């Protein structure tokens, strides 16, 4: 429903596959969650980790309410001021989680996303578990959310040029992920632990605990270390046309290869690649879908939209304190969106947030420049239905496609 909009409501074995208005689908999801929550377990332990429980359902319901104005209005008219009659409901369900005593923010932001994360991370409400050995990597399609610089071994202070764009030896290309300059600029708060997940400028080797040392990372042109290209230094600014050169065969120009900052929110254990099934990228970092920090920021947003800036500031500062960031003294809607960008980077909510704030069409200057007609089209706030679905079910394609 969030991705496609008008989808069927399949509430029985003989239910019609006809598309339903998005607002009706949202109301159906609300009804189902409210009916299910009383029967779900409150347990939050190894047995429930990675599985829906009461807290996961409540977080999902709060997320539905947070985006209620998006789901129940014409998607092309939604902006940051779109009315939302469910703000109080969102706050109520956020409070259920916040006041439960089951979850806490902790005081080490980066460690929540290390390869040994799991049920012990008290900030996680619901997460997708990954294991380099035991899980079926053939079905783990979410691994693109893992480290944007997959293969570098910072512990040894070396970095192979083909790995700059995510090649796994003997496999197809994993893909290159760069951070836009606008994204990098969000990580500007003095002393904020979240700044350390951004790799920009000169890079240094890690120790065993993923802390930076003073040993410079050296770039080589292949896995045999036949040619040293110099120290690794990622450039925040880049030209879009240069990105097409970031591929095998592009030559040994380290300037081109180092275009764009990268994200190290999910650092890998180098050993995971040696134990993973053949032809798979091995990484054991679990990916959170719902976190207490997200729930607190959701409540803060609702409070701010209701005009209660003081309470919103207090909530945002709870999240900031957990990453040693300076306390906020004032708060605008843009400040809150920026805070979500810092806290939730590489978690699956940015598109959702940008649409709700009316910022989706201008989220990156280079995207607008590369495809101005596409980026200005508000119809692109939902995806096109696949062609086979249109044929099989006689559905109407979403406008703009």
């Amino acid at each position: 429903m969030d991705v496609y909009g008008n989808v069927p409501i399949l509430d029985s074995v003989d239910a019609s596959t006809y598309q339903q208005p998005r607002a009706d689908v949202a109301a159906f999801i609300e009804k189902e969650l409210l009916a299910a929550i009383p029967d779900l377990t409150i347990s939050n332990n190894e047995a429930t980790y990675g599985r829906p429980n009461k807290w996961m359902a409540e977080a999902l319901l709060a997320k539905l309410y947070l985006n209620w104005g998006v789901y129940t209005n014409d998607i092309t008219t939604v902006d940051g001021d779109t009315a939302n009659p469910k703000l109080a409901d969102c706050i109520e369900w956020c409070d259920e989680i916040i006041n439960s005593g089951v979850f806490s923010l902790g005081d080490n932001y980066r460690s929540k996303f290390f390869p040994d994360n799991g049920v012990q991370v008290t900030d996680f409400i619901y997460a997708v578990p990954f294991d380099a050995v035991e899980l079926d990597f053939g079905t783990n399609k979410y691994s693109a959310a893992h480290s944007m610089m997959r293969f570098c071994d910072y512990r040894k202070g070396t970095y192979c040029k083909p790995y700059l764009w995510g090649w796994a030896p003997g496999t197809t290309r994993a893909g290159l992920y760069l951070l836009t300059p606008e994204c990098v600029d969000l990580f500007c708060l003095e002393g904020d632990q979240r700044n350390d997940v951004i790799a920009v400028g000169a890079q240094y080797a890690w120790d065993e605990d993923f802390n930076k040392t003073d040993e410079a990372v050296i770039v080589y042109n292949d896995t045999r270390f036949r040619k040293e290209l110099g120290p690794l230094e990622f450039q925040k600014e880049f030209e879009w046309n240069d990105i097409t050169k970031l591929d095998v065969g592009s030559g040994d120009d380290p300037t081109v290869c180092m275009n764009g900052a990268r994200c190290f929110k999910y650092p890998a254990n180098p050993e995971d690649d040696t134990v993973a099934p053949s032809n798979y990228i091995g990484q054991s970092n679990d990916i959170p879908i719902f976190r207490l920090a997200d729930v607190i920021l959701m409540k803060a947003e609702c409070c701010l939209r209701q005009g209660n800036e003081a309470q919103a500031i207090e909530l945002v500062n709870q999240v900031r304190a957990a990453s040693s960031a300076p306390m906020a003294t004032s708060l605008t809607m843009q400040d809150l969106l920026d805070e979500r960008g810092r806290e939730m980077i590489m978690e699956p909510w940015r598109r959702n947030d940008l649409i709700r704030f009316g910022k989706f069409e201008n989220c990156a200057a280079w995207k607008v420049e590369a495809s101005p007609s596409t980026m200005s089209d508000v119809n692109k706030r939902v995806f096109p239905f696949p062609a086979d679905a249109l044929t099989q079910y006689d559905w109407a394609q979403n406008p703009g496609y």
Side-chain angles (χ1 to χ4, degrees):
M1 184 271 290
D2 180 86
V3 172
Y4 294 110
N6 301 334
V7 297
I9 297 175
L10 303 178
D11 56 352
S12 66
V13 293
D14 58 351
S16 167
T17 58
Y18 290 122
Q19 292 165 291
Q20 301 292 330
R22 197 186 203 190
D24 293 351
V25 181
F28 169 74
I29 296 171
E30 175 191 28
K31 181 186 70 174
E32 290 289 291
L33 286 170
L34 289 172
I37 285 172
D39 296 328
L40 295 174
T41 180
I42 63 172
S43 298
N44 191 68
N45 50 40
E46 289 187 11
T48 64
Y49 185 73
R51 302 171 184 269
N53 58 11
K54 175 186 176 183
W55 312 112
M56 179 273 188
E58 290 185 352
L60 181 60
L61 182 59
K63 188 71 74 171
L64 178 75
Y65 286 148
L66 183 68
N67 291 281
W68 195 262
V70 176
Y71 298 147
T72 59
N73 285 280
D74 180 349
I75 190 61
T76 65
T77 66
V78 169
D79 60 27
D81 297 321
T82 296
N84 183 349
K86 297 286 191 178
L87 294 177
D89 298 276
C90 183
I91 291 174
E92 176 186 348
W93 288 101
C94 287
D95 280 340
E96 281 281 319
I97 298 170
I98 294 169
N99 298 331
S100 69
V102 175
F103 307 97
S104 61
L105 292 172
D107 59 3
N108 191 327
Y109 179 84
R110 292 187 64 233
S111 66
K112 300 176 186 180
F113 311 100
F114 285 173
D116 62 351
N117 63 354
V119 67
Q120 76 278 8
V121 181
T122 56
D123 184 31
F124 287 6
I125 298 171
Y126 180 69
V128 178
F130 284 85
D131 189 285
V133 179
E134 297 182 4
L135 292 185
D136 178 6
F137 276 75
T139 60
N140 283 347
K141 304 302 183 185
Y142 202 63
S143 58
H146 278 139
S147 176
M148 289 186 181
M149 293 194 299
R150 207 19 228 96
F151 277 101
C152 93
D153 188 349
Y154 266 25
R155 292 180 181 180
K156 297 178 181 178
T158 61
Y159 200 77
C160 303
K161 175 176 165 284
Y163 296 169
L164 286 170
W165 44 80
W167 276 89
T171 69
T172 56
R173 184 168 49 145
L176 172 72
Y177 297 88
L178 305 181
L179 300 181
T180 65
E182 297 94 331
C183 174
V184 177
D185 287 341
L186 294 178
F187 294 82
C188 58
L189 302 179
E190 184 176 357
D192 191 345
Q193 295 175 18
R194 297 171 297 189
N195 297 343
D196 292 334
V197 307
I198 305 301
V200 64
Q203 298 299 302
Y204 299 90
W206 290 340
D207 62 20
E208 294 297 317
D209 297 318
F210 299 103
N211 295 311
K212 291 181 181 179
T213 69
D214 58 1
E215 180 185 359
V217 176
I218 304 300
V219 181
Y220 295 85
N221 73 337
D222 63 15
T223 55
R224 299 185 185 93
F225 304 154
R226 291 182 299 183
K227 181 179 179 182
E228 182 178 321
L229 299 180
L232 180 62
E233 186 169 348
F234 290 117
Q235 306 299 319
K236 182 181 81 169
E237 304 291 338
F238 60 88
E239 296 294 330
W240 170 244
N241 290 336
D242 286 341
I243 300 306
T244 59
K245 302 175 185 177
L246 292 178
D247 208 339
V248 168
S250 63
D252 296 333
D253 182 356
T255 302
V256 175
C257 293
M258 298 178 200
N259 273 319
R262 313 297 208 270
C263 181
F264 267 122
K265 186 164 182 173
Y266 301 95
N269 266 329
E271 294 81 5
D272 286 344
D273 282 328
T274 65
V275 297
S278 176
N279 290 334
Y280 287 112
I281 296 173
Q283 198 159 347
S284 297
N285 313 60
D286 297 347
I287 305 290
I289 307 298
F290 294 113
R291 293 199 286 124
L292 177 63
D294 185 10
V295 170
I296 291 173
L297 291 177
M298 287 163 60
K299 179 181 177 181
E301 181 180 331
C302 291
C303 290
L304 192 58
R305 291 185 183 277
Q306 290 179 329
N308 191 344
E309 182 185 3
Q311 187 172 11
I313 292 173
E314 179 184 348
L315 291 162
V316 167
N317 282 339
Q318 290 180 31
V319 174
R320 286 196 174 192
S323 61
S324 304
M327 297 294 97
T329 56
S330 61
L331 197 67
T332 66
M333 292 304 297
Q334 183 62 52
D335 294 334
L336 191 32
L337 179 61
D338 290 347
E339 194 67 32
R340 289 191 61 82
R342 282 184 284 266
E343 181 69 25
M344 312 299 295
I345 187 172
M346 288 297 288
E347 296 177 48
W349 296 116
R350 189 59 174 174
R351 168 187 161 275
N352 186 279
D353 292 343
L354 290 171
I355 292 172
R356 186 174 67 256
F357 278 78
K359 303 282 187 179
F360 184 68
E361 287 68 44
N362 296 298
C363 60
W366 65 266
K367 281 189 176 183
V368 176
E369 181 180 349
S371 184
S373 60
T374 299
M375 290 308 299
S376 63
D377 186 356
V378 290
N379 288 302
K380 300 301 188 291
R381 293 171 175 179
V382 290
F383 284 58
F385 286 106
D388 57 350
L390 298 178
T391 302
Q392 182 176 355
Y393 300 113
D394 195 27
W395 290 349
Q397 183 58 281
N398 283 323
Y401 294 101

